[in-house]
Amino acid sequence: MSTRETDFKGRFGNLIRDARNHRGLTQAQLATLIGTSQSAINRIEKGHQNLSLEMLARIGEALDSEIVALGAGPIHLRVTGPTTLSGSIDVKTSKNAGVALLCASLLNKGRTTLRKVARIEEVHRLLEVLESLGVETTWINEDNDLEIVPPKDLDLTSIDEEAARRTRSVIMFLGPLLHRSAQFQLPYAGGCNLGTRTVEPHMAALRPFGLEVKATDGWYHAQLDADVAPQRPIVLTERGDTVTENALMAAALHPGTTVIRNASSNYMVQDLCFFLQELGVGVEGIGTTTLTVTGREHIDVDVDYAPSEDPIEAMSLLAAAIVTESEITITRAPIEFLEIELAVLEEMGFRYELSAEYLAANGHTRLADIRTLPSQLVASRDKIHPMPFPGLNIDNLPFFAVIAAVAQGQTTLHDWVYDNRAIYLTDLNKLGGRVSLLDPHRVMIEGPTSWRGAELMCPPALRPAVVILLAMLASKGTSVLRGTYVIHRGYEDLAERLGSLGADIETFRDI
């Protein structure tokens, strides 16, 4: 066997392993999904197994990864740098709020209109699931306004299993559906096993409403005891965003008062609360960790709601400006969800100008325009770590890796929430960075960096993937980022929008 062939199979093995870990699958679970043995998966990931085109196609479908998908071929990005950005750009509406509101639309028997919904892959998958239940969904104009009209009765037996398995957001159907059917089942993405850290908090939050869920054979089997209702405040064991949203949606159709303690007060949760108020549900304590919900037995209203802008996209654009030493204006930034990030950046020497605040279209969220100024940054004195809101956002932490890489000195990032995400930040080293993995949760970054172009496979984690793209903007020469589907799951037209600011980014596919 040639060295070239060995390297080829080894690269594919590493990509498959990373994508499997990102999906939360064991080797045995992946083997079951594609109809092979666990030992075969082990050999594939070690680069010791020949791979047919059919096997690659099955693996790509099971892992929802265009890195190994066939057909039209994965989307790649070619970046020529270094570049200096200029101009003005609006922040788009929140991806995570849009996903939650799509799930919450199942609470309403009437017509729901959502304004300026992000057209991202995660949203498309949820729309496919909703349509399979009998819900009519229509993009009604070029502003990405979305109309949702439910049927009289949902057809839960016809759920689009393939689409549902391609989004972990389907777990947020449990809260709204528990009042619609005494028993139902939902497919889940492999690896979300009952009792694990990511799923058990949802079950604990919904049991007080009489919902019991068993997970077998890749399905959530849900059964409701209608005689059970919350008798005391629900204390969430984890202050998670989706856990809080599930509890809120369950409480919305419970005709009584439900108190939720240790609730997330993050941006997408607040948008959901404001939406529930538009449905006639009483919600008190928005922005705090104690929510008091006065539900309704029946919701049938025509509602029109505009989710607020996305603080994670705003942080992405801030990082793009910082790493390229550019002056741009980021308009409609949800400033109340960026204040800690801006305070940390200010301590590092970042200079910027802030407009007067104004309200988002939802009538509640505070927005501002941020004008970035080219700045000489120094390393943060303290380690940078995320915390639940109002702390530094968990999804914003990876952007500080590329920011720290252009700062003078050593910066430590502590990504304590995720077990496998920090490792992808070491891909910055292939572009000239000096990133050391201290343990599965901590990296140390030495700056400043002399960026140089390189060809990389896109990490399977969304935020680290964007971090690599942003570093390529500042890299000398031509860089290629291969298999960028994961970026399209969370961002709408990011490459094109960076191009509008002057970035030289070309989208292409292999022939």
Side-chain angles (χ1 to χ4, degrees):
M1 185 183 299
S2 69
T3 301
R4 181 181 177 88
E5 185 178 353
T6 301
D7 290 345
F8 175 80
K9 291 199 294 188
R11 288 178 69 192
F12 263 109
N14 290 335
L15 290 168
I16 291 166
R17 180 201 61 211
D18 288 347
R20 174 180 61 77
N21 286 332
H22 183 61
R23 294 295 289 168
L25 287 166
T26 65
Q27 288 184 343
Q29 287 170 326
L30 176 57
T32 299
L33 284 174
I34 66 172
T36 189
S37 65
Q38 187 268 333
S39 60
I41 298 297
N42 187 46
R43 290 194 301 273
I44 289 169
E45 293 186 355
K46 289 181 177 179
H48 298 160
Q49 177 87 7
N50 288 324
L51 292 167
S52 67
L53 293 179
E54 180 186 359
M55 177 62 78
L56 281 174
R58 294 211 304 269
I59 292 172
E61 183 178 359
L63 296 178
D64 191 17
S65 171
E66 282 212 11
I67 294 172
V68 289
L70 300 178
I75 298 172
H76 315 305
L77 296 175
R78 184 180 290 112
V79 184
T80 303
T83 189
T84 300
L85 306 177
S86 62
S88 177
I89 187 168
D90 283 345
V91 177
K92 287 187 174 288
T93 61
S94 161
K95 162 216 165 208
N96 288 323
V99 165
L101 296 174
L102 286 176
C103 298
S105 71
L106 290 171
L107 298 168
N108 187 19
K109 297 274 191 179
R111 183 187 310 270
T112 298
T113 303
L114 301 177
R115 301 294 176 183
K116 295 187 177 180
V117 178
R119 288 205 190 206
I120 56 175
E121 293 301 319
E122 189 81 357
V123 165
H124 293 320
R125 299 295 81 74
L126 279 177
L127 291 179
E128 289 169 0
V129 175
L130 287 172
E131 288 165 1
S132 71
L133 303 179
V135 178
E136 293 181 15
T137 67
T138 307
W139 296 100
I140 56 179
N141 54 37
E142 293 183 357
D143 290 331
N144 287 5
D145 294 343
L146 182 63
E147 186 179 81
I148 304 161
V149 180
K152 182 178 180 182
D153 297 301
L154 295 172
D155 183 4
L156 297 177
T157 63
S158 299
I159 190 167
D160 186 333
E161 180 180 347
E162 180 181 351
R165 292 195 191 284
R166 296 184 73 186
T167 168
R168 291 189 176 184
S169 304
V170 77
I171 195 172
M172 286 196 292
F173 279 21
L174 291 173
L177 289 182
L178 68 86
H179 297 293
R180 302 290 292 265
S181 180
Q183 58 183 27
F184 59 92
Q185 59 181 23
L186 296 173
Y188 63 84
C192 296
N193 295 321
L194 196 64
T196 64
R197 173 187 169 276
T198 55
V199 175
E200 177 53 31
H202 290 266
M203 307 309 152
L206 298 176
R207 279 192 201 103
F209 297 96
L211 187 71
E212 286 295 337
V213 179
K214 293 181 180 179
T216 58
D217 303 321
W219 291 82
Y220 294 119
H221 300 272
Q223 189 149 348
L224 182 72
D225 184 344
D227 294 328
V228 176
Q231 300 299 311
R232 59 176 186 265
I234 296 171
V235 180
L236 302 182
T237 56
E238 176 184 285
R239 197 186 301 173
D241 303 325
T242 57
V243 174
T244 302
E245 288 165 336
N246 243 337
L248 276 166
M249 289 186 282
L253 278 176
H254 168 60
T257 297
T258 306
V259 177
I260 305 169
R261 301 196 190 281
N262 195 32
S264 166
S265 51
N266 211 355
Y267 62 97
M268 72 292 283
V269 175
Q270 291 197 27
D271 253 321
L272 176 58
C273 289
F274 299 139
F275 176 73
L276 293 179
Q277 288 180 328
E278 294 294 317
L279 294 181
V281 177
V283 185
E284 299 176 13
I286 300 174
T288 75
T289 57
T290 299
L291 296 171
T292 302
V293 183
T294 303
R296 300 179 58 183
E297 191 167 4
H298 185 74
I299 299 175
D300 187 352
V301 296
D302 289 343
V303 63
D304 191 312
Y305 185 77
S308 186
E309 282 68 15
D310 194 328
I312 316 303
E313 179 176 290
M315 185 68 206
S316 308
L317 297 170
L318 278 170
I322 291 169
V323 75
T324 59
E325 298 185 34
S326 300
E327 180 180 319
I328 64 172
T329 300
I330 302 166
T331 59
R332 303 191 65 79
I335 193 66
E336 65 184 283
F337 300 104
L338 291 165
E339 287 172 332
I340 301 298
E341 285 83 342
L342 285 171
V344 172
L345 289 172
E346 223 171 327
E347 288 292 315
M348 296 175 71
F350 176 53
R351 298 183 304 121
Y352 64 97
E353 296 175 355
L354 210 58
S355 75
E357 293 183 2
Y358 52 97
L359 288 180
N362 65 11
H364 301 277
T365 306
R366 294 186 287 116
L367 305 180
D369 302 338
I370 304 171
R371 179 170 169 250
T372 69
L373 301 172
S375 309
Q376 296 297 312
L377 270 60
V378 296
S380 174
R381 293 190 183 92
D382 299 319
K383 71 176 180 181
I384 301 176
H385 64 282
M387 290 292 286
F389 181 78
L392 191 146
N393 194 291
I394 290 164
D395 283 338
N396 277 339
L397 182 73
F399 298 112
F400 280 91
V402 73
I403 291 169
V406 300
Q408 181 73 46
Q410 290 184 343
T411 302
T412 300
L413 303 190
H414 187 190
D415 194 355
W416 58 268
V417 178
Y418 296 104
D419 290 331
N420 297 312
R421 190 171 69 169
I423 190 171
Y424 298 119
L425 298 175
T426 61
D427 279 357
L428 289 171
N429 294 340
K430 299 172 184 176
L431 296 165
R434 288 171 287 169
V435 181
S436 302
L437 186 67
L438 304 180
D439 57 47
H441 296 276
R442 294 182 305 144
V443 292
M444 185 176 69
I445 299 112
E446 177 84 30
T449 299
S450 295
W451 301 107
R452 59 179 183 271
E455 181 171 327
L456 281 77
M457 294 305 248
C458 192
L462 172 59
R463 308 306 172 184
V466 177
V467 164
I468 300 302
L469 175 60
L470 299 184
M472 287 179 171
L473 296 179
S475 297
K476 184 178 181 180
T478 299
S479 300
V480 174
L481 188 59
R482 292 190 165 272
T484 56
Y485 176 76
V486 67
I487 294 177
H488 305 298
R489 292 188 69 156
Y491 290 80
E492 182 181 356
D493 301 330
L494 179 61
E496 292 82 353
R497 298 176 71 232
L498 289 171
S500 73
L501 295 174
D504 186 348
I505 305 178
E506 176 191 354
T507 299
F508 71 100
R509 294 178 186 266
D510 291 328
I511 298 175

Short mmCIF file of all heavy atoms in Angstrom, two decimals, residues 265-315:
data_model
loop_
_atom_site.label_atom_id
_atom_site.label_comp_id
_atom_site.label_asym_id
_atom_site.label_seq_id
_atom_site.Cartn_x
_atom_site.Cartn_y
_atom_site.Cartn_z
N SER A 265 -31.56 32.77 31.73
CA SER A 265 -32.10 34.08 31.34
C SER A 265 -31.43 34.57 30.06
O SER A 265 -31.40 35.76 29.78
CB SER A 265 -31.90 35.10 32.47
OG SER A 265 -30.54 35.10 32.90
N ASN A 266 -30.92 33.63 29.27
CA ASN A 266 -30.19 33.96 28.05
C ASN A 266 -31.11 34.54 26.98
O ASN A 266 -32.34 34.48 27.09
CB ASN A 266 -29.47 32.71 27.54
CG ASN A 266 -28.18 33.04 26.81
OD1 ASN A 266 -27.83 34.20 26.60
ND2 ASN A 266 -27.46 32.01 26.41
N TYR A 267 -30.50 35.02 25.91
CA TYR A 267 -31.23 35.80 24.90
C TYR A 267 -32.37 35.01 24.25
O TYR A 267 -33.48 35.53 24.07
CB TYR A 267 -30.27 36.32 23.83
CG TYR A 267 -29.54 35.26 23.04
CD1 TYR A 267 -29.98 34.84 21.80
CD2 TYR A 267 -28.36 34.69 23.53
CE1 TYR A 267 -29.31 33.87 21.07
CE2 TYR A 267 -27.67 33.73 22.80
CZ TYR A 267 -28.15 33.31 21.59
OH TYR A 267 -27.48 32.35 20.88
N MET A 268 -32.14 33.74 23.90
CA MET A 268 -33.19 32.97 23.22
C MET A 268 -34.34 32.64 24.17
O MET A 268 -35.49 32.55 23.75
CB MET A 268 -32.61 31.70 22.57
CG MET A 268 -32.20 30.60 23.54
SD MET A 268 -30.77 31.02 24.59
CE MET A 268 -29.45 30.79 23.42
N VAL A 269 -34.03 32.48 25.45
CA VAL A 269 -35.07 32.23 26.45
C VAL A 269 -35.94 33.47 26.61
O VAL A 269 -37.17 33.38 26.69
CB VAL A 269 -34.45 31.81 27.80
CG1 VAL A 269 -35.53 31.68 28.87
CG2 VAL A 269 -33.68 30.51 27.65
N GLN A 270 -35.30 34.64 26.62
CA GLN A 270 -36.08 35.88 26.74
C GLN A 270 -37.00 36.06 25.53
O GLN A 270 -38.17 36.44 25.69
CB GLN A 270 -35.14 37.07 26.89
CG GLN A 270 -34.39 37.08 28.22
CD GLN A 270 -33.78 38.42 28.54
OE1 GLN A 270 -34.26 39.46 28.09
NE2 GLN A 270 -32.71 38.41 29.33
N ASP A 271 -36.49 35.77 24.34
CA ASP A 271 -37.34 35.89 23.14
C ASP A 271 -38.54 34.94 23.24
O ASP A 271 -39.67 35.30 22.88
CB ASP A 271 -36.53 35.58 21.87
CG ASP A 271 -36.25 36.83 21.04
OD1 ASP A 271 -37.15 37.69 20.94
OD2 ASP A 271 -35.13 36.96 20.52
N LEU A 272 -38.31 33.72 23.72
CA LEU A 272 -39.41 32.78 23.89
C LEU A 272 -40.43 33.31 24.89
O LEU A 272 -41.64 33.21 24.67
CB LEU A 272 -38.89 31.42 24.34
CG LEU A 272 -39.95 30.36 24.65
CD1 LEU A 272 -40.84 30.09 23.44
CD2 LEU A 272 -39.29 29.07 25.13
N CYS A 273 -39.96 33.90 25.98
CA CYS A 273 -40.88 34.46 26.98
C CYS A 273 -41.73 35.58 26.38
O CYS A 273 -42.95 35.64 26.62
CB CYS A 273 -40.08 35.01 28.17
SG CYS A 273 -39.33 33.75 29.22
N PHE A 274 -41.10 36.46 25.61
CA PHE A 274 -41.86 37.55 24.99
C PHE A 274 -42.90 37.00 24.00
O PHE A 274 -44.02 37.51 23.91
CB PHE A 274 -40.91 38.52 24.27
CG PHE A 274 -39.90 39.19 25.17
CD1 PHE A 274 -38.59 39.36 24.75
CD2 PHE A 274 -40.26 39.65 26.42
CE1 PHE A 274 -37.65 39.98 25.56
CE2 PHE A 274 -39.32 40.28 27.26
CZ PHE A 274 -38.02 40.43 26.82
N PHE A 275 -42.51 35.95 23.28
CA PHE A 275 -43.45 35.30 22.34
C PHE A 275 -44.63 34.69 23.10
O PHE A 275 -45.79 34.84 22.68
CB PHE A 275 -42.71 34.24 21.54
CG PHE A 275 -43.59 33.44 20.61
CD1 PHE A 275 -44.09 33.99 19.45
CD2 PHE A 275 -43.91 32.12 20.91
CE1 PHE A 275 -44.91 33.25 18.60
CE2 PHE A 275 -44.71 31.36 20.07
CZ PHE A 275 -45.21 31.93 18.90
N LEU A 276 -44.35 34.02 24.21
CA LEU A 276 -45.43 33.42 24.99
C LEU A 276 -46.38 34.49 25.51
O LEU A 276 -47.61 34.28 25.56
CB LEU A 276 -44.85 32.61 26.17
CG LEU A 276 -44.06 31.36 25.79
CD1 LEU A 276 -43.52 30.68 27.05
CD2 LEU A 276 -44.92 30.38 24.99
N GLN A 277 -45.85 35.63 25.88
CA GLN A 277 -46.72 36.73 26.31
C GLN A 277 -47.65 37.16 25.18
O GLN A 277 -48.83 37.47 25.41
CB GLN A 277 -45.88 37.91 26.79
CG GLN A 277 -45.19 37.66 28.13
CD GLN A 277 -44.35 38.85 28.58
OE1 GLN A 277 -43.79 39.58 27.76
NE2 GLN A 277 -44.25 39.05 29.88
N GLU A 278 -47.14 37.17 23.94
CA GLU A 278 -47.98 37.50 22.79
C GLU A 278 -49.08 36.46 22.59
O GLU A 278 -50.15 36.77 22.05
CB GLU A 278 -47.13 37.60 21.52
CG GLU A 278 -46.14 38.75 21.50
CD GLU A 278 -46.82 40.09 21.49
OE1 GLU A 278 -47.81 40.24 20.75
OE2 GLU A 278 -46.38 40.99 22.23
N LEU A 279 -48.83 35.23 23.02
CA LEU A 279 -49.85 34.18 22.93
C LEU A 279 -50.87 34.27 24.06
O LEU A 279 -51.84 33.50 24.08
CB LEU A 279 -49.19 32.79 22.98
CG LEU A 279 -48.29 32.40 21.81
CD1 LEU A 279 -47.74 30.99 22.03
CD2 LEU A 279 -49.05 32.46 20.48
N GLY A 280 -50.66 35.18 24.99
CA GLY A 280 -51.58 35.33 26.10
C GLY A 280 -51.16 34.60 27.35
O GLY A 280 -51.91 34.54 28.33
N VAL A 281 -49.97 34.04 27.34
CA VAL A 281 -49.44 33.34 28.52
C VAL A 281 -48.80 34.37 29.44
O VAL A 281 -48.08 35.26 28.99
CB VAL A 281 -48.40 32.28 28.10
CG1 VAL A 281 -47.77 31.60 29.31
CG2 VAL A 281 -49.05 31.25 27.18
N GLY A 282 -49.05 34.24 30.74
CA GLY A 282 -48.43 35.14 31.70
C GLY A 282 -47.02 34.67 32.04
O GLY A 282 -46.85 33.52 32.43
N VAL A 283 -46.04 35.53 31.87
CA VAL A 283 -44.66 35.19 32.22
C VAL A 283 -44.06 36.35 33.00
O VAL A 283 -43.97 37.47 32.50
CB VAL A 283 -43.79 34.91 30.98
CG1 VAL A 283 -42.40 34.43 31.42
CG2 VAL A 283 -44.44 33.89 30.05
N GLU A 284 -43.67 36.07 34.23
CA GLU A 284 -43.03 37.08 35.08
C GLU A 284 -41.62 36.65 35.40
O GLU A 284 -41.32 35.45 35.46
CB GLU A 284 -43.83 37.26 36.37
CG GLU A 284 -45.26 37.73 36.16
CD GLU A 284 -46.04 37.80 37.48
OE1 GLU A 284 -45.38 37.74 38.54
OE2 GLU A 284 -47.27 37.90 37.43
N GLY A 285 -40.75 37.65 35.60
CA GLY A 285 -39.37 37.35 35.97
C GLY A 285 -38.43 37.22 34.78
O GLY A 285 -37.33 36.68 34.91
N ILE A 286 -38.84 37.72 33.60
CA ILE A 286 -38.01 37.61 32.41
C ILE A 286 -36.67 38.33 32.64
O ILE A 286 -36.64 39.46 33.11
CB ILE A 286 -38.72 38.20 31.18
CG1 ILE A 286 -40.03 37.46 30.92
CG2 ILE A 286 -37.82 38.15 29.94
CD1 ILE A 286 -40.88 38.07 29.82
N GLY A 287 -35.59 37.63 32.34
CA GLY A 287 -34.26 38.18 32.57
C GLY A 287 -33.67 37.77 33.91
O GLY A 287 -32.52 38.10 34.21
N THR A 288 -34.45 37.03 34.71
CA THR A 288 -33.95 36.53 35.99
C THR A 288 -33.92 35.00 35.95
O THR A 288 -34.30 34.38 34.95
CB THR A 288 -34.86 36.98 37.16
OG1 THR A 288 -36.07 36.20 37.17
CG2 THR A 288 -35.23 38.45 37.04
N THR A 289 -33.49 34.40 37.04
CA THR A 289 -33.41 32.93 37.10
C THR A 289 -34.65 32.31 37.73
O THR A 289 -34.68 31.10 37.94
CB THR A 289 -32.16 32.49 37.88
OG1 THR A 289 -32.19 33.06 39.19
CG2 THR A 289 -30.89 32.94 37.16
N THR A 290 -35.66 33.12 38.02
CA THR A 290 -36.94 32.58 38.50
C THR A 290 -38.06 33.09 37.59
O THR A 290 -38.30 34.30 37.51
CB THR A 290 -37.22 33.00 39.95
OG1 THR A 290 -36.19 32.48 40.80
CG2 THR A 290 -38.57 32.44 40.42
N LEU A 291 -38.71 32.16 36.90
CA LEU A 291 -39.80 32.50 36.00
C LEU A 291 -41.11 31.99 36.56
O LEU A 291 -41.20 30.84 37.00
CB LEU A 291 -39.55 31.88 34.62
CG LEU A 291 -38.32 32.38 33.86
CD1 LEU A 291 -38.08 31.54 32.62
CD2 LEU A 291 -38.48 33.86 33.48
N THR A 292 -42.13 32.83 36.55
CA THR A 292 -43.46 32.43 36.99
C THR A 292 -44.39 32.48 35.78
O THR A 292 -44.59 33.53 35.17
CB THR A 292 -43.98 33.38 38.09
OG1 THR A 292 -43.06 33.36 39.19
CG2 THR A 292 -45.35 32.93 38.59
N VAL A 293 -44.93 31.31 35.43
CA VAL A 293 -45.72 31.17 34.21
C VAL A 293 -47.16 30.86 34.57
O VAL A 293 -47.44 29.92 35.31
CB VAL A 293 -45.16 30.04 33.32
CG1 VAL A 293 -45.95 29.95 32.01
CG2 VAL A 293 -43.68 30.25 33.05
N THR A 294 -48.08 31.66 34.06
CA THR A 294 -49.51 31.39 34.20
C THR A 294 -50.01 30.94 32.83
O THR A 294 -50.14 31.73 31.89
CB THR A 294 -50.27 32.63 34.67
OG1 THR A 294 -49.70 33.09 35.90
CG2 THR A 294 -51.75 32.31 34.88
N GLY A 295 -50.25 29.63 32.72
CA GLY A 295 -50.56 29.05 31.42
C GLY A 295 -52.02 29.16 31.04
O GLY A 295 -52.87 29.61 31.81
N ARG A 296 -52.31 28.73 29.82
CA ARG A 296 -53.66 28.72 29.30
C ARG A 296 -54.00 27.30 28.86
O ARG A 296 -53.15 26.56 28.36
CB ARG A 296 -53.79 29.68 28.10
CG ARG A 296 -53.47 31.12 28.44
CD ARG A 296 -53.59 32.00 27.21
NE ARG A 296 -54.93 31.94 26.61
CZ ARG A 296 -55.28 32.57 25.51
NH1 ARG A 296 -54.39 33.31 24.85
NH2 ARG A 296 -56.50 32.47 25.02
N GLU A 297 -55.26 26.92 29.04
CA GLU A 297 -55.68 25.58 28.66
C GLU A 297 -55.73 25.42 27.14
O GLU A 297 -55.52 24.33 26.61
CB GLU A 297 -57.05 25.28 29.27
CG GLU A 297 -57.45 23.82 29.13
CD GLU A 297 -58.65 23.49 30.00
OE1 GLU A 297 -59.21 24.41 30.65
OE2 GLU A 297 -59.02 22.31 30.05
N HIS A 298 -55.94 26.53 26.45
CA HIS A 298 -56.10 26.48 25.00
C HIS A 298 -55.54 27.78 24.42
O HIS A 298 -55.85 28.87 24.92
CB HIS A 298 -57.58 26.33 24.64
CG HIS A 298 -57.84 26.16 23.18
ND1 HIS A 298 -57.58 25.00 22.50
CD2 HIS A 298 -58.34 27.03 22.26
CE1 HIS A 298 -57.93 25.14 21.23
NE2 HIS A 298 -58.38 26.36 21.06
N ILE A 299 -54.71 27.68 23.39
CA ILE A 299 -54.16 28.87 22.73
C ILE A 299 -54.53 28.82 21.26
O ILE A 299 -54.16 27.88 20.55
CB ILE A 299 -52.62 28.94 22.88
CG1 ILE A 299 -52.23 29.04 24.35
CG2 ILE A 299 -52.06 30.12 22.09
CD1 ILE A 299 -50.71 29.00 24.58
N ASP A 300 -55.29 29.80 20.82
CA ASP A 300 -55.71 29.88 19.42
C ASP A 300 -55.77 31.34 19.04
O ASP A 300 -56.83 31.97 19.10
CB ASP A 300 -57.06 29.19 19.22
CG ASP A 300 -57.46 29.10 17.75
OD1 ASP A 300 -56.77 29.70 16.91
OD2 ASP A 300 -58.47 28.43 17.44
N VAL A 301 -54.60 31.91 18.69
CA VAL A 301 -54.53 33.33 18.34
C VAL A 301 -53.66 33.49 17.10
O VAL A 301 -52.80 32.67 16.82
CB VAL A 301 -53.93 34.17 19.50
CG1 VAL A 301 -54.82 34.13 20.72
CG2 VAL A 301 -52.52 33.72 19.85
N ASP A 302 -53.92 34.55 16.35
CA ASP A 302 -53.03 34.91 15.25
C ASP A 302 -51.98 35.86 15.83
O ASP A 302 -52.32 36.92 16.36
CB ASP A 302 -53.80 35.59 14.13
CG ASP A 302 -54.69 34.62 13.36
OD1 ASP A 302 -54.46 33.39 13.50
OD2 ASP A 302 -55.61 35.07 12.66
N VAL A 303 -50.73 35.45 15.74
CA VAL A 303 -49.67 36.19 16.41
C VAL A 303 -48.57 36.55 15.41
O VAL A 303 -48.30 35.79 14.47
CB VAL A 303 -49.08 35.36 17.59
CG1 VAL A 303 -48.43 34.08 17.08
CG2 VAL A 303 -48.08 36.17 18.40
N ASP A 304 -48.00 37.72 15.59
CA ASP A 304 -46.93 38.22 14.73
C ASP A 304 -45.77 38.61 15.64
O ASP A 304 -45.92 39.48 16.51
CB ASP A 304 -47.45 39.44 13.95
CG ASP A 304 -46.50 39.87 12.84
OD1 ASP A 304 -45.29 39.99 13.11
OD2 ASP A 304 -46.97 40.11 11.71
N TYR A 305 -44.60 37.97 15.44
CA TYR A 305 -43.50 38.22 16.37
C TYR A 305 -42.18 38.31 15.62
O TYR A 305 -41.94 37.55 14.67
CB TYR A 305 -43.42 37.10 17.42
CG TYR A 305 -42.37 37.38 18.48
CD1 TYR A 305 -42.61 38.29 19.50
CD2 TYR A 305 -41.13 36.77 18.42
CE1 TYR A 305 -41.64 38.57 20.45
CE2 TYR A 305 -40.14 37.04 19.36
CZ TYR A 305 -40.41 37.95 20.37
OH TYR A 305 -39.44 38.24 21.31
N ALA A 306 -41.32 39.21 16.08
CA ALA A 306 -40.00 39.40 15.46
C ALA A 306 -38.92 39.07 16.48
O ALA A 306 -38.73 39.82 17.44
CB ALA A 306 -39.85 40.85 14.99
N PRO A 307 -38.22 37.93 16.31
CA PRO A 307 -37.13 37.62 17.24
C PRO A 307 -36.02 38.64 17.13
O PRO A 307 -35.82 39.27 16.08
CB PRO A 307 -36.65 36.23 16.78
CG PRO A 307 -37.11 36.11 15.36
CD PRO A 307 -38.38 36.90 15.27
N SER A 308 -35.27 38.81 18.22
CA SER A 308 -34.21 39.80 18.24
C SER A 308 -32.96 39.31 17.51
O SER A 308 -32.89 38.18 17.03
CB SER A 308 -33.87 40.17 19.68
OG SER A 308 -32.93 41.23 19.71
N GLU A 309 -31.98 40.17 17.45
CA GLU A 309 -30.74 39.87 16.72
C GLU A 309 -29.84 38.92 17.51
O GLU A 309 -29.99 38.75 18.72
CB GLU A 309 -30.00 41.18 16.40
CG GLU A 309 -30.58 41.96 15.24
CD GLU A 309 -31.96 42.56 15.48
OE1 GLU A 309 -32.39 42.63 16.65
OE2 GLU A 309 -32.63 42.96 14.51
N ASP A 310 -28.89 38.32 16.80
CA ASP A 310 -28.09 37.23 17.34
C ASP A 310 -26.77 37.75 17.93
O ASP A 310 -25.90 38.24 17.20
CB ASP A 310 -27.77 36.25 16.20
CG ASP A 310 -27.24 34.92 16.70
OD1 ASP A 310 -26.56 34.91 17.73
OD2 ASP A 310 -27.52 33.89 16.06
N PRO A 311 -26.58 37.62 19.25
CA PRO A 311 -25.32 38.11 19.85
C PRO A 311 -24.10 37.29 19.43
O PRO A 311 -22.98 37.80 19.47
CB PRO A 311 -25.58 37.99 21.36
CG PRO A 311 -26.67 36.98 21.49
CD PRO A 311 -27.51 37.11 20.26
N ILE A 312 -24.32 36.03 19.04
CA ILE A 312 -23.18 35.21 18.64
C ILE A 312 -22.69 35.64 17.25
O ILE A 312 -21.48 35.71 17.00
CB ILE A 312 -23.54 33.71 18.64
CG1 ILE A 312 -24.34 33.35 19.90
CG2 ILE A 312 -22.27 32.87 18.52
CD1 ILE A 312 -23.66 33.69 21.20
N GLU A 313 -23.62 35.95 16.36
CA GLU A 313 -23.19 36.49 15.06
C GLU A 313 -22.49 37.83 15.26
O GLU A 313 -21.49 38.12 14.60
CB GLU A 313 -24.38 36.66 14.12
CG GLU A 313 -23.92 37.24 12.78
CD GLU A 313 -25.02 37.35 11.74
OE1 GLU A 313 -25.46 36.30 11.25
OE2 GLU A 313 -25.42 38.48 11.42
N ALA A 314 -23.03 38.66 16.16
CA ALA A 314 -22.39 39.96 16.42
C ALA A 314 -20.96 39.76 16.91
O ALA A 314 -20.04 40.47 16.50
CB ALA A 314 -23.20 40.75 17.44
N MET A 315 -20.76 38.77 17.78
CA MET A 315 -19.41 38.48 18.28
C MET A 315 -18.52 37.96 17.15
O MET A 315 -17.32 38.28 17.10
CB MET A 315 -19.49 37.46 19.41
CG MET A 315 -18.15 37.18 20.09
SD MET A 315 -17.55 38.60 21.02
CE MET A 315 -15.78 38.27 20.98
#
